[in-house]
Amino acid sequence: MGEALKPGAVIGILGGGQLGRMLSVAASRLGFKTCIYEPGGDCPASHVANFHFQKSYDDEAALRQFGESVDVITYEFENIPTSALDILEALAPIHPSRRALEVSQDRLVEKTFLRDLGLEVAPFANVESRDDMDAAVAKIGAPAILKTRRFGYDGKGQARLKSADDATAAWEAMEGAPAVLEGFVEFSCEISVIGARAQDGQVACFDPGENVHREGILHTTTVPANVPARLRTDAVLVAGRVLNALDYVGVLGVELFVTPAGLIVNEIAPRVHNSGHWTQNGCVIDQFEQHIRAVAGWPLGDGSRHSNAVMENLIGADMERVAALAAEVGAGLHLYGKAEAKPGRKMGHVNRISPKG
Amino acid sequence: MGEALKPGAVIGILGGGQLGRMLSVAASRLGFKTCIYEPGGDCPASHVANFHFQKSYDDEAALRQFGESVDVITYEFENIPTSALDILEALAPIHPSRRALEVSQDRLVEKTFLRDLGLEVAPFANVESRDDMDAAVAKIGAPAILKTRRFGYDGKGQARLKSADDATAAWEAMEGAPAVLEGFVEFSCEISVIGARAQDGQVACFDPGENVHREGILHTTTVPANVPARLRTDAVLVAGRVLNALDYVGVLGVELFVTPAGLIVNEIAPRVHNSGHWTQNGCVIDQFEQHIRAVAGWPLGDGSRHSNAVMENLIGADMERVAALAAEVGAGLHLYGKAEAKPGRKMGHVNRISPKG
């Protein structure tokens, strides 16, 4: 396998949540060991990993020890402190690259990157001051949505503007954080593509799924997406373009709005993605294994879909439905081992499969 | 779920090999923690478990500590010392039950149990002395096969008799261990059924697979088995009968010979079984999760098959083929994380799936 990691090698994973947990399981399937770096104790990923550094991201000695004890480093979230990456990159290869992180950590950089690539994005404007805000509203119009440039997820760090009158309230909701004003896009549905790129440049994408959100959090992903075949192809081509432009290694999630004028890229995530969880029960090789294969220098696996699938997230009190879900025919249940089912917290998901027909 | 274990509960597993490893992964999927008891260090199961007691089976204090820190106990091999079970059963429920272990630990007890259940088995006779050997050969005839009553696996502890002249050599090969002489069965193929029984008596079986052995070790399992539908149904009924007779909780493997006169039971294994590994890529719920569900008091899952499958074991030097296997379309690779690829050692397996048609 050339420079591919051999079974027995150690894969370091930054972040110990459910994505790290499912990456660890996928790594074990290929005979790799995993080492989790996560400040929190009893974290989901540590339950199924060989090693757990329960250390802070500003503990330089711990970061150094971690970097020296792994053969490659990957991550399950995009907001890794730059200072930690500076230390780690001298010690082991990091996949996906820092360029992918830089692009996706900042909405302004991300939108600019996508636009410069010739992809369609919502109209946007940088907002770093109250004056910027007025200029942005004048340029973009309303309705619009103001989003913090960094650290937003699951609908957090966002404020909607129904009209220009909401500009002050929206700006104040950012609490001084740099933001981006995005024009409101009239879309019929959201789809996403989970793409993967190997170290030799090989690209493979899973079939696009159709996403439904509730209260800003992904609720279901349905595969195949109920959109014309032409748009499914377009979506895959968009993912391929982003993967190649970033010289990307690993799995990337691309969220797209379906509009009468075609696809508009909403955002990209340089990691395995919630909307790709269906692959665990719909494909021979799931997104987690695909990611591990890429970062380990292995060939990508066969991501073709053997079944149709609907993934449903289990959030907070949905855990009360576990007994019923466990008895459901055709349902694959995946729980994350989190102790407390807080409102809005992702506790697990269920993949319902049916024949491809 | 009544007395079902809640996510977060700890499942104790005796034995840390690949079966324990894949049981741990399945347990994590349902939100359980796992605790492995295994004297060997760096064992396959410990890589994906929360806890590992690296202690001997005669360490009473360690066994006690293990028993007190888990909510239920199961195992991945049938030769657990009775003294260890005596200590553990006072501390936590053990599934499958000791009766299942007693039956499967001793070939004489096993064959007698199966025969008394009205199932067809090969003719057999107990051999505890040189005199018994002569009586057994006179009763059973030749060709025949002499097997130690206990601790045999993968063709070990067996001696073939082509004629009565081989009796002395066969007896001496047992080195004084009690044995059973079994009449040679002319069979067209071997099939196996992986059955499961829940705590409420619910029974579910996976589709029977057809097994091919090489040098006494399972080489491939093909599903569906290429035998008449009637025999596949018979096989499932045999498994159901054994499960109910033992008031069994968990997954059980039943190996059967297909003969012109119908099915003959070869042996049963009170655990997940190598010939059930195909379920990982052929079903929504695999044999490992089915076992965890049963021992945790959950309902059994949907074990229906969405694809055809051929499982191939990777033994010793087969590891040199990993690079090629990783690039194969339709192939799910599963490696066990064992450091050394010794001849005859099970290092992993590959599941090749194809549409059910």
Side-chain angles (χ1 to χ4, degrees):
Chain A
M1 288 187 282
E3 308 204 15
L5 292 186
K6 294 212 162 48
V10 180
I11 296 181
I13 301 174
L14 301 171
Q18 65 267 20
L19 301 182
R21 178 181 176 95
M22 294 182 279
L23 285 169
S24 279
V25 166
S28 81
R29 208 182 294 139
L30 301 180
F32 296 119
K33 295 183 175 178
T34 52
C35 183
I36 304 296
Y37 198 99
E38 161 67 51
D42 193 28
C43 63
S46 70
H47 300 179
V48 286
N50 292 69
F51 314 104
H52 176 198
F53 277 71
Q54 192 185 335
K55 299 290 182 181
S56 126
Y57 281 107
D58 54 16
D59 184 334
E60 295 188 13
L63 286 166
R64 250 182 221 104
Q65 207 191 333
F66 172 81
E68 283 164 3
S69 57
V70 302
D71 295 293
V72 67
I73 296 172
T74 189
Y75 43 87
E76 58 137 37
F77 71 116
E78 50 269 51
N79 293 315
I80 304 153
T82 302
S83 57
L85 293 170
D86 288 339
I87 293 169
L88 293 172
E89 72 179 355
L91 300 168
I94 303 180
H95 298 299
S97 69
R98 290 193 69 163
R99 171 77 183 129
L101 276 175
E102 281 157 12
V103 165
S104 58
Q105 278 180 345
D106 185 317
R107 284 186 202 276
L108 182 67
V109 180
E110 181 184 14
K111 297 227 168 258
T112 308
F113 163 79
L114 293 168
R115 186 191 59 193
D116 292 352
L117 210 57
L119 299 173
E120 293 295 328
V121 294
F124 63 95
N126 187 25
V127 178
E128 295 187 41
S129 67
R130 186 63 187 80
D131 286 349
D132 282 352
M133 187 69 200
D134 287 336
V137 173
K139 179 184 166 196
I140 306 293
I145 184 160
L146 190 66
K147 300 178 178 178
T148 54
R149 282 173 52 178
R150 297 174 62 95
F151 305 118
Y153 68 97
D154 286 349
K156 291 183 176 64
Q158 304 194 355
R160 282 166 190 269
L161 285 79
K162 286 184 187 164
S163 73
D165 297 342
D166 298 332
T168 301
W171 167 245
E172 284 171 359
M174 299 298 109
E175 297 176 343
V180 173
L181 186 70
E182 295 180 16
F184 196 77
V185 174
E186 283 285 353
F187 59 91
S188 55
C189 68
E190 184 198 291
I191 63 175
S192 58
V193 181
I194 308 300
R197 191 166 175 277
Q199 290 182 22
D200 67 358
Q202 181 197 6
V203 165
C205 293
F206 292 102
D207 284 348
E210 186 172 339
N211 301 326
V212 173
H213 293 79
R214 275 194 192 166
E215 294 169 29
I217 303 176
L218 182 65
H219 174 52
T220 57
T221 299
T222 301
V223 186
N226 184 24
V227 297
R230 172 181 56 79
L231 288 183
R232 292 204 289 267
T233 305
D234 283 352
V236 167
L237 292 174
V238 166
R241 204 138 147 200
V242 173
L243 288 164
N244 285 331
L246 292 171
D247 197 17
Y248 195 89
V249 171
V251 159
L252 173 97
V254 182
E255 295 177 8
L256 303 133
F257 295 132
V258 177
T259 79
L263 297 175
I264 290 181
V265 184
N266 179 30
E267 61 177 37
I268 60 175
R271 52 169 169 77
V272 288
H273 196 258
N274 196 165
S275 70
H277 291 359
W278 67 270
T279 58
Q280 294 174 310
N281 293 102
C283 304
V284 183
I285 308 296
D286 66 22
Q287 67 164 344
F288 303 100
E289 182 172 331
Q290 205 69 304
H291 186 77
I292 295 294
R293 282 169 171 255
V295 304
W298 282 37
L300 298 179
D302 177 10
S304 64
R305 183 168 53 82
H306 57 65
S307 300
N308 290 348
V310 180
M311 188 285 308
E312 179 190 349
N313 267 336
L314 304 177
I315 314 278
D318 285 337
M319 284 298 281
E320 291 163 17
R321 294 162 48 211
V322 160
L325 293 168
E328 213 185 289
V329 169
L333 189 60
H334 301 260
L335 302 180
Y336 304 153
K338 295 180 183 176
E340 228 186 315
K342 294 181 193 162
R345 195 176 204 192
K346 291 178 178 172
M347 301 299 294
H349 63 275
V350 58
N351 291 327
R352 297 182 171 91
I353 74 163
S354 56
K356 218 168 149 186
Chain B
M1 288 186 280
E3 307 203 17
L5 291 187
K6 294 211 160 50
V10 181
I11 296 182
I13 301 175
L14 301 171
Q18 64 268 19
L19 300 182
R21 178 181 177 93
M22 295 183 279
L23 285 169
S24 279
V25 165
S28 81
R29 208 181 296 139
L30 301 179
F32 297 120
K33 296 183 175 180
T34 51
C35 183
I36 304 296
Y37 199 100
E38 161 67 51
D42 193 28
C43 64
S46 69
H47 299 179
V48 287
N50 292 69
F51 314 103
H52 176 199
F53 278 72
Q54 192 185 335
K55 299 290 183 181
S56 126
Y57 282 107
D58 54 17
D59 184 334
E60 294 188 12
L63 286 166
R64 248 180 223 107
Q65 207 192 332
F66 172 80
E68 282 163 4
S69 57
V70 302
D71 295 293
V72 66
I73 296 171
T74 188
Y75 43 86
E76 58 138 35
F77 71 116
E78 50 268 52
N79 293 314
I80 304 154
T82 302
S83 57
L85 294 170
D86 288 338
I87 292 169
L88 294 173
E89 70 179 357
L91 300 168
I94 303 179
H95 298 299
S97 69
R98 290 194 69 163
R99 172 75 181 130
L101 276 174
E102 281 159 12
V103 164
S104 58
Q105 279 180 344
D106 185 318
R107 284 185 201 278
L108 182 67
V109 180
E110 182 185 15
K111 297 225 167 258
T112 307
F113 163 78
L114 293 168
R115 185 192 58 195
D116 292 352
L117 210 57
L119 300 172
E120 292 296 327
V121 294
F124 64 95
N126 187 25
V127 177
E128 295 187 42
S129 67
R130 187 64 187 82
D131 285 350
D132 282 352
M133 186 69 201
D134 287 337
V137 173
K139 178 183 166 197
I140 307 290
I145 185 161
L146 189 66
K147 300 177 178 177
T148 53
R149 281 174 50 179
R150 297 174 63 96
F151 303 118
Y153 69 96
D154 286 349
K156 290 181 177 66
Q158 304 195 355
R160 281 166 192 272
L161 285 78
K162 286 184 186 163
S163 73
D165 297 342
D166 298 331
T168 301
W171 168 243
E172 284 171 0
M174 299 298 108
E175 297 176 341
V180 173
L181 186 69
E182 295 180 16
F184 194 79
V185 174
E186 283 285 351
F187 59 92
S188 54
C189 69
E190 183 198 291
I191 64 176
S192 58
V193 181
I194 310 300
R197 191 167 175 277
Q199 289 182 23
D200 67 359
Q202 181 197 7
V203 165
C205 293
F206 293 101
D207 284 347
E210 186 172 338
N211 302 326
V212 173
H213 292 80
R214 275 194 191 168
E215 295 168 28
I217 303 177
L218 182 64
H219 174 51
T220 58
T221 299
T222 301
V223 187
N226 184 23
V227 298
R230 171 182 56 80
L231 288 184
R232 292 204 290 266
T233 305
D234 284 353
V236 167
L237 293 174
V238 165
R241 202 137 149 204
V242 173
L243 287 165
N244 286 330
L246 291 171
D247 196 17
Y248 195 89
V249 171
V251 159
L252 172 98
V254 183
E255 296 177 8
L256 303 133
F257 295 131
V258 177
T259 78
L263 297 175
I264 290 181
V265 185
N266 179 30
E267 63 178 36
I268 60 176
R271 52 169 169 77
V272 288
H273 195 258
N274 196 165
S275 70
H277 290 0
W278 68 270
T279 58
Q280 293 173 311
N281 294 103
C283 305
V284 183
I285 308 296
D286 67 21
Q287 67 164 345
F288 302 100
E289 182 173 332
Q290 205 68 304
H291 185 77
I292 294 294
R293 282 167 171 258
V295 304
W298 282 35
L300 297 179
D302 177 11
S304 64
R305 184 168 52 81
H306 57 65
S307 300
N308 290 348
V310 180
M311 187 285 305
E312 179 190 349
N313 267 335
L314 304 178
I315 314 279
D318 285 337
M319 284 298 280
E320 291 162 17
R321 294 163 47 212
V322 160
L325 293 168
E328 213 185 291
V329 168
L333 190 59
H334 301 259
L335 302 180
Y336 304 152
K338 296 181 184 176
E340 230 186 313
K342 294 181 192 162
R345 194 174 204 193
K346 291 178 179 173
M347 302 299 296
H349 64 275
V350 58
N351 291 328
R352 297 183 173 92
I353 74 162
S354 56
K356 218 167 151 186

